[in-house]
Amino acid sequence: MNTITLKGRVAHEVKFGVSKDGMAYLNGSVVTYKGMKDKIVPTYHKIFCFKHAAEYLKDAKKGDEIFLEGELTYQDYEKDGVKQIIAKILVKHVMFFTKVEALPTPPQEPQGQAFVDDGVPF
């Protein structure tokens, strides 16, 4: 089973596009943080997705908090005669976390006569 889940923040503006045959795709990166003694260490993860996941993430902005689930993949290529390997996450499911603004104040009790319990059952 090859499943990876991450909760992190969009690290850079995402790159959204549509292929010649009309399929949506997206490339980007997500940063997660790990606390180590007195400092916090970021880890950057390359992500890509297609179709619905790409459409859903296309409006993501740097700093948005997201949760994603996908599959770890590897892409190899040659640069200057040296073989390079990149790990990427093929996103299958994604969910945004939104910032919660201050909750509205609860309604005040109506002004007027206060309830008095006089012991009468009716």
Side-chain angles (χ1 to χ4, degrees), residues 25-86:
Y25 63 89
L26 180 135
N27 285 294
S29 61
V30 172
V31 61
T32 57
Y33 299 95
K34 181 177 181 179
M36 300 184 102
K37 292 195 179 186
D38 296 335
K39 65 180 183 175
I40 296 175
V41 178
T43 302
Y44 293 88
H45 312 273
K46 292 189 178 289
I47 63 168
F48 70 103
C49 51
F50 300 99
K51 299 180 182 176
H52 300 297
E55 289 283 346
Y56 186 71
L57 271 176
K58 74 179 179 183
D59 296 323
K61 302 287 183 235
K62 181 178 178 179
D64 287 347
E65 190 172 19
I66 63 172
F67 174 84
L68 62 87
E69 180 180 86
E71 179 180 316
L72 186 60
T73 64
Y74 297 94
Q75 178 183 2
D76 59 337
Y77 65 96
E78 196 168 307
K79 182 177 180 180
D80 299 328
V82 179
K83 186 176 181 179
Q84 305 286 324
I85 299 175
I86 297 175

Side-chain angles (χ1 to χ4, degrees), residues 79-97:
K79 182 177 180 180
D80 299 328
V82 179
K83 186 176 181 179
Q84 305 286 324
I85 299 175
I86 297 175
K88 289 186 175 184
I89 300 167
L90 172 59
V91 177
K92 304 282 182 147
H93 305 284
V94 65
M95 179 174 48
F96 277 95
F97 287 91

Side-chain angles (χ1 to χ4, degrees), residues 9-24:
R9 296 196 179 271
V10 176
H12 306 287
E13 296 303 320
V14 296
K15 294 178 181 133
F16 176 79
V18 179
S19 68
K20 292 177 185 176
D21 60 350
M23 184 170 59

